[in-house]
Structure formats: C-alpha cells, structure tokens
Amino acid sequence: MELEDIRREYSKGGLRRKDLRLDPVDQFNLWLQQAIDAKLLDPTAMTVATVDETGQPYQRIVLLKHCDHDGFVFYTNLGSRKAQHIEGNTKVSLHFPWHNLERQVNVLGVAEKLTAAENFKYFTSRPKESQIAAMASRQSHRISARGILEGKYLELKQKFAKGEIPVPSFWGGYRIKPTSIEFWQGGENRLHDRFIYSPNADSKEEGGWDIDRLAP
C-alpha cells in the first residue's frame, strides 16, 4: 500500500463550544482523565519542542508530572539539549497525541525552572533505580558504548545501596506557563473541530481566556 493511500475516518464525535470548560486547564484535565480512564498507553506522554540558537527546532517525548493553573511540569537533566535550549529561549511548545480518542492538545508557553524544594519533593518520590539512573546519565552527551552507562549505574547503585540518594545539582524540573492552548477533535470528512484558548487582555480578572474556533 502506498503511503498516500493510508487513511481512516474520524468518527468519535465532534467538539462543540457548549461542551468546553471556561478555563483551558480545566478542559485539559478533563481530557487527560478521560485518556487515563480509556487506558491509553502513556496518556501523560507529551512532545516538548524547543529551538536552538540557530532557530533549529528539536522535539522529544517526556512525561507530564503535574498540571494545574500555574502550568505544565516535567523534569529533566539540566545539562540536556532541551535545557540548554530553554536557557537561551524560554518559549516552548507541548503536544499531547491521544490518537485512540482522536484528540490532540497543543500548548504554547514559557518555561521557568522549579524551586529546589519542588525538585526535592519529586526526586525523593521516585523509585531508587530511577534516582540512580538520573545521576548516572549525562543526558544528550555522546558516549562511546552502552557499557559505560551501565557501569556508571552499577557503581552508583553499589555506592548508595544503604543510603539515600542526594538530588543531583544537574537535575530539576520546568513549569511551562501557557500562553495559548488548542484542543483538536477529529471529525468526519476531515471537518475536524479546533478551539484555541488565548488570554483575554480586556478581562478585569487575571486568568480570563478567549475561546475561538479554528478552521481545520
């Protein structure tokens, strides 16, 4: 089969303005819970897009670890490529692909580092093996063989066999504060439904949002 012949119809039902929550984070959390309830594989997986100093975009998948009205949170090695990009350009895009529900969510926002207290709270809640892996890996750096990584992991596992693992200075989280959030629901005959939430500059109350329908 040729690639141009691969297609399917979207038939899960449309999205109407009357069904939307007034706040995009409330709408997102509703959809996220529905993705979890549907037992989708990795419902918290999201693509994080950043841009380097030349304007070259990069994407990678990470897991969402928290979401509230302050923003979307994920954790990473602070020496990684994504962290280096954010250091030079804090504008970030997040994308959630919930294919089985025929839904997508796209978030544009600005990244800010989490506090040491927030990093500590999450790091110490992780399984010990994950803590050791975070310490062992110099994320995004070139290595000559997998054995080097595995050897470092085993060395640290032995070192901290009976003690607590300190939070590495090169590890932490980011909060993406949204500047817009778009919700996409597949529709029949490619007449998809798209709604974008943008801050309402005329709102007297902080946190007001405008909701606009976008053509598919």
Side-chain angles (χ1 to χ4, degrees):
M1 180 179 290
E2 297 296 330
L3 292 181
E4 60 262 29
D5 295 328
I6 299 175
R7 61 174 56 86
R8 68 183 178 90
E9 191 60 77
Y10 295 92
S11 57
K12 295 290 185 182
L15 180 64
R16 301 294 181 262
R17 185 183 295 269
K18 65 181 177 61
D19 300 320
L20 296 172
R21 304 289 176 89
L22 294 178
D23 187 282
V25 175
D26 294 338
Q27 181 66 34
F28 174 83
N29 283 326
L30 172 65
W31 273 22
L32 176 59
Q33 188 59 55
Q34 290 174 349
I36 294 170
D37 293 342
K39 301 187 184 306
L40 299 191
L41 184 64
D42 295 328
T44 61
M46 60 182 183
T47 300
V48 177
T50 56
V51 178
D52 71 10
E53 69 277 3
T54 70
Q56 174 64 54
Y58 289 81
Q59 301 177 34
R60 74 289 288 164
I61 294 176
V62 304
L63 299 181
L64 177 71
K65 290 302 177 183
H66 185 74
C67 177
D68 59 23
H69 290 90
D70 290 327
F72 298 75
V73 172
F74 68 91
Y75 295 85
T76 188
N77 186 303
L78 299 179
S80 65
R81 183 163 59 188
K82 74 177 78 65
Q84 292 173 13
H85 291 176
I86 291 173
E87 190 70 25
N89 184 344
T90 58
K91 293 181 179 179
V92 172
S93 173
L94 309 177
H95 179 255
F96 295 84
W98 293 320
H99 300 298
N100 289 0
L101 297 179
E102 299 176 355
R103 289 174 174 175
Q104 304 177 57
V105 178
N106 188 61
V107 180
L108 299 183
V110 178
E112 63 179 26
K113 285 184 177 179
L114 298 183
T115 65
E118 289 173 307
N119 291 335
F120 177 83
K121 181 179 180 180
Y122 175 68
F123 186 82
T124 54
S125 74
R126 304 179 81 193
K128 195 168 187 177
E129 292 77 11
S130 296
Q131 295 178 8
I132 294 172
M135 182 174 286
S137 175
R138 296 183 65 204
Q139 193 177 107
S140 300
H141 288 73
R142 288 179 170 83
I143 56 175
S144 59
R146 179 177 175 84
I148 295 175
L149 181 62
E150 292 176 342
K152 185 64 175 179
Y153 176 86
L154 292 175
E155 175 190 331
L156 291 170
K157 187 174 183 179
Q158 183 177 11
K159 179 179 178 180
F160 294 106
K162 297 182 179 179
E164 294 185 357
I165 302 172
V167 180
S169 61
F170 52 80
W171 184 93
Y174 289 95
R175 176 177 288 106
I176 309 303
K177 300 182 75 68
T179 55
S180 73
I181 304 181
E182 180 187 332
F183 295 86
W184 184 100
Q185 176 75 63
E188 293 184 356
N189 303 313
R190 297 300 187 268
L191 298 178
H192 313 304
D193 290 302
R194 296 170 60 193
F195 287 93
I196 187 167
Y197 289 73
S198 306
N200 184 341
D202 297 327
S203 176
K204 295 182 180 179
E205 297 183 6
E206 185 178 356
W209 297 85
D210 288 325
I211 307 174
D212 293 295
R213 176 181 278 275
L214 302 178

